[in-house]
Amino acid sequence: MVTAKDLAAIILLMLWYSTPAYVANGLAVILGKNSRPIDNYKVFIDGRRILGDGKTIGGFIGGIMVGFLATIIQLPFRGLILSFALETAIREGISTTVICRIPSLIAATSFSGFLMRGFLLSLGAMLGDLIGSFIKRRLGLERGAPCIPLDQLDFIIVALLIGSLVTPIPLQYILVFLAVTFIAHITANFIAYKLGAKNRFP
Ligand code: CTP
Ligand code: MG
């Protein structure tokens, strides 16, 4: 049985774990400004753009770089966060099955494993984003056209899959986190729309 506290713990652990993917995906928007499209304006056999103007070399490479930078920033804090998480989890009575996952989710198993995982999460986020756009173009959707839930989840699905090469994650954790990511994205877009920063919702 998963308690509400277990669920909260899983979400917090997954937030820390997937930070590089979030950073990569979030900052690609800024880093891709005025950069060349990855597909070099080429069209696919269906006559539509392979990826479209929204997927640039600058966004892709820049996203991976800032995602990895986020990993380097996380690196020195992982020991501290790990002991804090274990202490809190034990005090709050979190299930042992969740507690057992804490060390690998927070710190990976080694220094190099942690760095490799951060790189894979960033790469996975950017690849997932590309795959999402590729699918959207095949569905006949123009660049920027909303496509729920692909827009919200493409980056995180592939990031978590590739990240699992270093730290395997239970499927339930992935599903919980997909739901959280989806809700967070929709909420952020709604707020941006209400504030006038975006001209359409979603
Ligand atoms: N971006 C980029 N390069 C990437 C990913 C994103 O330059 N590899 C930038 C683009 O300026 C893009 C913006 O980030 O417009 C937002 O990303 P996203 O929402 O994924 O792209 P869309 O413009 O919505 O295009 P698509 O319909 O293909 O998702
Ligand atoms: Mg989009």
Side-chain angles (χ1 to χ4, degrees):
M1 239 280 287
V2 177
T3 65
K5 277 186 179 180
D6 287 351
L7 208 57
I10 290 170
I11 293 170
L12 288 174
L13 287 168
M14 290 300 290
L15 273 175
W16 165 265
Y17 175 88
S18 59
T19 295
Y22 264 87
V23 170
N25 186 60
L27 292 186
V29 181
I30 302 164
L31 300 164
K33 290 264 177 297
N34 308 318
S35 175
R36 202 176 173 78
I38 296 173
D39 66 8
N40 208 8
Y41 307 100
K42 288 200 172 63
V43 293
F44 198 60
I45 42 171
D46 54 10
R48 298 180 182 276
R49 284 285 293 277
I50 302 176
L51 299 171
D53 288 338
K55 301 296 110 131
T56 67
I57 297 170
F60 186 81
I61 307 274
I64 295 173
M65 283 168 65
V66 287
F68 190 63
L69 186 69
T71 312
I72 293 172
I73 295 172
Q74 282 183 305
L75 191 69
F77 295 102
R78 70 199 199 290
L80 200 69
I81 302 265
L82 175 58
S83 50
F84 173 76
L86 284 173
E87 202 182 291
T88 313
I90 291 165
R91 193 178 57 238
E92 295 293 331
I94 302 294
S95 304
T96 32
T97 47
V98 178
I99 292 183
C100 291
R101 295 273 172 188
I102 293 179
S104 64
L105 277 174
I106 290 192
T109 42
S110 65
F111 181 87
S112 55
F114 190 86
L115 288 177
M116 178 53 95
R117 183 172 92 184
F119 173 73
L120 292 177
L121 284 166
S122 313
L123 174 70
M126 292 294 86
L127 283 178
D129 188 46
L130 290 192
I131 295 169
S133 291
F134 181 78
I135 295 172
K136 281 173 75 174
R137 297 303 89 81
R138 302 298 65 79
L139 294 173
L141 295 168
E142 294 300 324
R143 175 239 176 131
C147 183
I148 294 174
L150 205 58
D151 285 332
Q152 294 76 25
L153 300 181
D154 53 7
F155 81 99
I156 197 76
I157 291 174
V158 179
L160 295 181
L161 284 178
I162 303 191
S164 296
L165 293 174
V166 175
T167 307
I169 324 163
L171 185 62
Q172 308 93 286
Y173 288 29
I174 294 186
L175 295 179
V176 165
F177 202 58
L178 291 187
V180 170
T181 302
F182 182 77
I183 294 166
H185 254 255
I186 294 285
T187 311
N189 277 0
F190 183 69
I191 293 170
Y193 170 70
K194 281 287 172 197
L195 292 176
K198 276 193 77 174
N199 50 15
R200 68 172 158 210
F201 175 75

